[in-house]
Every structure is written in structure tokens, then in C-alpha cells.
């Protein structure tokens, strides 16, 4: 069986790519590809599910089984079943295309510039930590989970004496990207499920990121001040090898930093205008198209199109075949949440939160966030969040749709800070040779501060704007 693995991986990559591209054609040109797309989804499940890790495999399988059981018990129509599959195939397009944005970022020399900037211009520890948090947020918007490894490889030696707070700043920066970037899976999925455009959500998300960033900086500043007062070094459980030398980075032109800022702003503005122009199309579809076109145009603009072409070998052999876990798991969860709509559960949920909102809107917000975050300790956060997104209307609790999206996005973003089973937490613990629950403990104060600050902010915004 082992000798067949390369063939299976290649087949999986081709299937997922074909599914993503076919869905984009199906959506743009209204082609009659329903049966073909459903067949590809079934094939993707068959060649992906057996080779997934145990946790996502069991969770995905259970959601599929229970979802279909609900479908048959409540006598759903075949059209509803097909629509429940096809409405969420855009998620696979998202997972397939967004990684393309990482190649111009890596090929353009921007990573080296960040290291040069830190060593040359940021002499104080707090400035370095604030910079790492901000730049991790920016890079995570392009690389998603891959940003943690990039930032670790880039800055781990520079921050050896601040190892523990470095972990916190990395995970918190990654979490900030999850609060607003449409190229981050959680934001795109929630916008899609609730039916809110990125254009209308953009301002709320940006304000929340700024508030949460300042909260992170304030907490880490206090943490560093305490370390100086007590004269204790904030190491993680197993620190980095002390024999690693601090090499001075080569000088990098400042135009690299300016290019990165322009590319970052342009990426969001492009989606902003594209959504205005093609407002009748799914936001996930627009993000997928933009990820392909923007990565090519960016590479052309910095004269790195050859490097981009060479990078496609890595994309087709390493990236595309390996987005199967998140694709299958999230399709399963959204399929299950669609089937839940056939039951009386949405009415019960609406009634419950309507009663809570009559007592206090802030209590309602905190209850939703806590429910999603606590659930993520046992299951993937996509399940409770997708259920809230599809079964509870923001009108029932007296919230603007954009603010309801913000609540769910914050719930998604808090998960990597605390949950020992989140992908970001597991990766960070492996990189820093510590335990996942320790990273959660280090972020408890920040996470609870975010829940409190965001709940009050959303309440005030909903009341006055």
C-alpha cells in the first residue's frame, strides 16, 4: 500500500484542483455541472478521509453520518441535499487558491527585510515584540498557519532571551489576522454563511483588530515590566540552543518594506472594489479569483514571475494535495449545519438567545463567544460557529449582521490562543518544544481581556452607530 501513496497524493491534488476550478466556472458561467461537482466531492472524500489524522477523520465522518441521518429523518428533498453540498464547495476553492499568495511574499525578499528592520531599527524589547505581533498579523493574512513557521525561522534567534513572550506575540498576531482578513479561512467562511459582504464588514473588523492589537501590546508591556522588576528570564520550557550565533542580516533596501505595505493594502482594496463590481457573486469565489490573479500580478510587478513559475512545482506537489484535511472537515461541518436547519433546533436556539438578549446584549455576546471557544477544546471550532451562523439570525438578538459576523470571527480567532487541540497551538508548541496547554495558559489573560473588550465594543457600536 505504501508504494501507492505518491499516486494517491497526486490523484487527491488533481481532484481538489479540478473541483475548485470547475466550481469557479460553474458559478461564473452558470454551467450545468451540478452532478459533476457532487461526484468530485464524493471522490474527494473517498480519497482523503482514510488518510486524515484521527481527530479530523472521526469528526468529519461523524458529521457526515449524523447529517445524513437528520436528512432522512426529516425527509429532506434531493435538491436540498445537493444544494447543501454545492453551496459550500467554494470553501475548497478558497483553500486551494489562497496559498498562491505566499509565493510572491517569499520570492520578493520581504522576509529578509523584516529581519533587517528588527535588528537595525528596533533596539528595545517592547518595540520588537510590538513589531512581531503586527507583522505576524500581516503575514498571516497571506500565509495563514504557515506564518507561524516563517516568523519562528526568521526571529527565533533574535528573541532567544524573550522566548516566552515571543511565543505569545506570535500566537496573538496570528489570532489578530483571524479577526478580519477575508483571506483567512474563518473570516471567509463566516461571511459566506451569514451572507454579509466584506465591504460592509471591513470597517468593523479593522477597528476590532486595532483595539485587540493595543490590548496585546499593553499586556505584553506589563509582562515585560514585571520580568525586569523580578529579574526573571521569560524562557519557554525548553529554550532555543544557546550556541546559535546572532548573525547580522544583510542590508535590504527599504523599498521592500514599502512594496509589502502597498501589496498588503492593494490586496484588501482589490477585494473591496471587486465585491462592489461583482456584488452578486459569492465572496469566497471572488477571493479565490483574486488570489490567483493577484499573486501573478504581484510577481510581475516585482519582476519575480520566473520564480513564481518555479514555485508552482511546490504548489502542485506539496500544497494542493495537502489542503484535504481542512477542506473535508469544513465541508462536513457546514453540510451538517445545513441539515440542522431541517430540525426544530434553530427555533429553540432563537428562542433561547432572544430571552438572553432581553436581559443583556453584552451577556448574549459573551455567551456566544464562550460557547464557541469552550466547544473548540473538544471539537473543531467550525462546528459550533457554523451552527450559530446558519441557525441564529442577528435580528433575533438585536444585532447588525456585520456585528454578528464580528462576534463569530472573534470566537474563531480566540481559539488558537487557548485550545490545546487547535492547529496553531499544536504547531507553536512543536516549534518551541513546549506543551499546548502551556501556550493556552500564557494567553489566558489576553483572551479574557479580548472577550471583555470586544463584547463592550460591539455593544457600544451597535447602540451608537
Amino acid at each position: 500500500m505504501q508504494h501507492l501513496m505518491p499516486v494517491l497524493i497526486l490523484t487527491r491534488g488533481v481532484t481538489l484542483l479540478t473541483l475548485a476550478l470547475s466550481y469557479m466556472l460553474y458559478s461564473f458561467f452558470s454551467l450545468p455541472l451540478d452532478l459533476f461537482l457532487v461526484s468530485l466531492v464524493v471522490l474527494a472524500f473517498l480519497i482523503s478521509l482514510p488518510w486524515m489524522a484521527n481527530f479530523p477523520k472521526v469528526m468529519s465522518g461523524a458529521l457526515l453520518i449524523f447529517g445524513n441521518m437528520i436528512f432522512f429523518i426529516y425527509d429532506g428533498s434531493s435538491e436540498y441535499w445537493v444544494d447543501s453540498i454545492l453551496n459550500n464547495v467554494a470553501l475548497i476553492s478558497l483553500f486551494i487558491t489562497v496559498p498562491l499568495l505566499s509565493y510572491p511574499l517569499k520570492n520578493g525578499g520581504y522576509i529578509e527585510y523584516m529581519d533587517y528592520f528588527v535588528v537595525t531599527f528596533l533596539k528595545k524589547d517592547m518595540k520588537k515584540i510590538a513589531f512581531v505581533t503586527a507583522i505576524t498579523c500581516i503575514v498571516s493574512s497571506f500565509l495563514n498557519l504557515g506564518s507561524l513557521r516563517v516568523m519562528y525561522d526568521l526571529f527565533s534567534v533574535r528573541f532567544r532571551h524573550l522566548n516566552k513572550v515571543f511565543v505569545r506575540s506570535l500566537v496573538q498576531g496570528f489570532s489578530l489576522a483571524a479577526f478580519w482578513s477575508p483571506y483567512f479561512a474563518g473570516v471567509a467562511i463566516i461571511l459566506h454563511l451569514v451572507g454579509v459582504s466584506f465591504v460592509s464588514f471591513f470597517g468593523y473588523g479593522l477597528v476590532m483588530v486595532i483595539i485587540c492589537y493595543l490590548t496585546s501590546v499593553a499586556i505584553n508591556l506589563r509582562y515585560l515590566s514585571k520580568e525586569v522588576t523580578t529579574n526573571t528570564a521569560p524562557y519557554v520550557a525548553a529554550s532555543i540552543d544557546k550556541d546559535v550565533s546572532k548573525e547580522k542580516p544583510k542590508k535590504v533596501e527599504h523599498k521592500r518594506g514599502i512594496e509589502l505595505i502597498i501589496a498588503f493594502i492593494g490586496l484588501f482594496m482589490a477585494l473591496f472594489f471587486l465585491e462592489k463590481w461583482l456584488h452578486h457573486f459569492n465572496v469566497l469565489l471572488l477571493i479565490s479569483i483574486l488570489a490567483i490573479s493577484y499573486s501573478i500580478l504581484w510577481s510581475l510587478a516585482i519582476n519575480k514571475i520566473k520564480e513564481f513559475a518555479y514555485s508552482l512545482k511546490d504548489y502542485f506537489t506539496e500544497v494542493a494535495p495537502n489542503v484535504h484535511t481542512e477542506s473535508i472537515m469544513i465541508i462536513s461541518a457546514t453540510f451538517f449545519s445545513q441539515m440542522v436547519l431541517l430540525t426544530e433546533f434553530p427555533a429553540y436556539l432563537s428562542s433561547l438567545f432572544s430571552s438572553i438578549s432581553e436581559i443583556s446584549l453584552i451577556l448574549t455576546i459573551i455567551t456566544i463567544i464562550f460557547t464557541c471557544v469552550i466547544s473548540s477544546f473538544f471539537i473543531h471550532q467550525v462546528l459550533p460557529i457554523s451552527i450559530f451562523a446558519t441557525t441564529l439570525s442577528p435580528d433575533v438578538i438585536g444585532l447588525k449582521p456585520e456585528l454578528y459576523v464580528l462576534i463569530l470571527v472573534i470566537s474563531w480567532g480566540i481559539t488558537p490562543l487557548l485550545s490545546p487541540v487547535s492547529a496553531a497551538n499544536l504547531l507553536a508548541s512543536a516549534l518551541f518544544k513546549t506543551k499546548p496547554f502551556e501556550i493556552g495558559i500564557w494567553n489566558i489573560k489576553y483572551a479574557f481581556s479580548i472577550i471583555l473588550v470586544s463584547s463592550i465594543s460591539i455593544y457600544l457600536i451597535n447602540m451608537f452607530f
Side-chain angles (χ1 to χ4, degrees):
M1 190 65 179
Q2 194 66 29
H3 66 282
L4 293 176
M5 282 305 296
V7 178
L8 288 170
I9 292 172
L10 179 63
T11 304
R12 187 171 67 206
V14 171
T15 301
L16 291 172
L17 276 167
T18 305
L19 180 56
L21 295 175
S22 299
Y23 179 79
M24 293 166 72
L25 293 172
Y26 162 81
S27 300
F28 253 103
F29 301 107
S30 301
L31 299 177
L33 298 175
D34 303 54
L35 184 59
F36 177 67
L37 288 170
V38 171
S39 301
L40 282 177
V41 171
V42 173
L43 177 60
F45 269 84
L46 291 175
I47 62 178
S48 299
L49 205 60
W51 288 274
M52 289 164 60
N54 288 332
F55 174 73
K57 182 199 303 185
V58 171
M59 179 178 167
S60 300
L63 291 173
L64 281 176
I65 292 170
F66 287 119
N68 280 292
M69 285 176 61
I70 292 172
F71 173 77
F72 287 113
I73 291 171
Y74 285 87
D75 197 23
S77 65
S78 57
E79 291 83 4
Y80 185 82
W81 191 92
V82 171
D83 287 343
S84 297
I85 294 290
L86 295 184
N87 285 343
N88 297 303
V89 171
L91 297 170
I92 294 179
S93 297
L94 179 78
F95 290 127
I96 283 287
T97 56
V98 167
L100 286 168
L101 292 167
S102 68
Y103 294 115
L105 181 70
K106 294 174 182 175
N107 296 334
Y110 306 111
I111 304 298
E112 293 80 1
Y113 176 76
M114 294 175 204
D115 188 32
Y116 169 74
F117 187 86
V118 167
V119 174
T120 307
F121 299 102
L122 304 180
K123 302 300 182 182
K124 293 185 178 180
D125 290 337
M126 192 57 236
K127 288 183 179 180
K128 293 177 182 178
I129 291 300
F131 176 80
V132 168
T133 304
I135 207 66
T136 303
C137 174
I138 293 174
V139 174
S140 296
S141 301
F142 299 104
L143 299 185
N144 280 233
L145 195 60
S147 64
L148 293 179
R149 184 173 292 278
V150 170
M151 293 296 102
Y152 172 83
D153 291 340
L154 186 61
F155 294 128
S156 58
V157 175
R158 311 289 175 195
F159 287 83
R160 186 172 60 224
H161 67 297
L162 293 171
N163 223 0
K164 188 172 177 180
V165 75
F166 178 43
V167 181
R168 291 155 55 116
S169 65
L170 275 188
V171 178
Q172 288 169 17
F174 175 81
S175 175
L176 287 174
F179 288 168
W180 80 300
S181 172
Y183 301 94
F184 209 95
V187 177
I189 290 167
I190 294 165
L191 287 172
H192 166 64
L193 293 177
V194 180
V196 170
S197 69
F198 174 69
V199 172
S200 62
F201 169 74
F202 175 79
Y204 298 105
L206 182 60
V207 168
M208 192 54 60
V209 166
I210 293 171
I211 292 172
C212 293
Y213 173 73
L214 294 175
T215 304
S216 171
V217 171
I219 290 174
N220 284 329
L221 176 60
R222 186 177 178 186
Y223 178 82
L224 283 174
S225 300
K226 181 181 178 182
E227 294 298 334
V228 171
T229 303
T230 58
N231 197 28
T232 56
Y235 290 119
V236 290
S239 62
I240 300 167
D241 186 1
K242 292 184 180 180
D243 294 330
V244 179
S245 61
K246 292 183 180 180
E247 298 178 1
K248 289 187 176 181
K250 295 180 181 178
K251 185 176 181 179
V252 184
E253 295 180 357
H254 286 300
K255 74 172 187 177
R256 293 297 180 209
I258 296 170
E259 284 177 3
L260 181 60
I261 294 170
I262 293 172
F264 179 69
I265 294 173
L267 186 60
F268 288 89
M269 294 306 296
L271 179 59
F272 193 89
F273 289 113
L274 195 62
E275 198 173 41
K276 283 280 190 182
W277 179 39
L278 301 173
H279 57 87
H280 51 290
F281 285 108
N282 188 319
V283 66
L284 298 179
L285 182 65
L286 299 181
I287 292 171
S288 300
I289 293 168
L290 198 55
I292 296 171
S293 57
Y294 200 89
S295 57
I296 295 171
L297 292 173
W298 187 359
S299 298
L300 283 169
I302 60 175
N303 199 27
K304 295 289 182 180
I305 194 65
K306 279 188 177 181
E307 289 82 350
F308 179 77
Y310 291 139
S311 299
L312 291 179
K313 180 182 178 181
D314 172 76
Y315 173 77
F316 288 119
T317 57
E318 299 296 331
V319 178
N322 293 311
V323 298
H324 62 295
T325 297
E326 53 263 49
S327 298
I328 297 302
M329 189 160 56
I330 288 178
I331 288 288
S332 301
T334 51
F335 172 78
F336 177 80
S337 67
Q338 292 293 321
M339 293 304 145
V340 169
L341 292 176
L342 296 172
T343 71
E344 295 82 13
F345 182 76
Y348 293 142
L349 193 68
S350 296
S351 176
L352 173 62
F353 278 92
S354 177
S355 301
I356 297 174
S357 65
E358 289 177 2
I359 300 171
S360 169
L361 182 57
I362 291 181
L363 179 62
T364 306
I365 296 168
I366 292 174
T367 302
I368 293 173
I369 295 175
F370 266 109
T371 301
C372 295
V373 172
I374 292 172
S375 299
S376 70
F377 279 72
F378 310 100
I379 55 177
H380 194 280
Q381 68 262 37
V382 70
L383 181 56
I385 288 173
S386 62
I387 289 176
F388 272 115
T390 54
T391 60
L392 181 61
S393 170
D395 295 333
V396 171
I397 54 177
L399 271 176
K400 296 176 182 177
E402 293 82 3
L403 293 178
Y404 185 54
V405 168
L406 190 57
I407 292 171
L408 298 180
V409 162
I410 289 168
S411 302
W412 187 293
I414 288 174
T415 298
L417 296 171
L418 298 176
S419 175
V421 298
S422 74
N425 206 319
L426 291 171
L427 176 57
S429 65
L431 291 173
F432 289 94
K433 300 180 179 66
T434 189
K435 297 176 182 177
F437 75 86
E438 282 189 295
I439 294 178
I441 291 171
W442 297 337
N443 283 299
I444 282 179
K445 184 181 292 186
Y446 172 70
F448 276 92
S449 299
I450 291 303
I451 292 173
L452 182 61
V453 169
S454 62
S455 298
I456 295 172
S457 300
I458 290 171
Y459 172 75
L460 293 174
I461 293 171
N462 190 66
M463 178 180 292
F464 295 109
F465 295 96

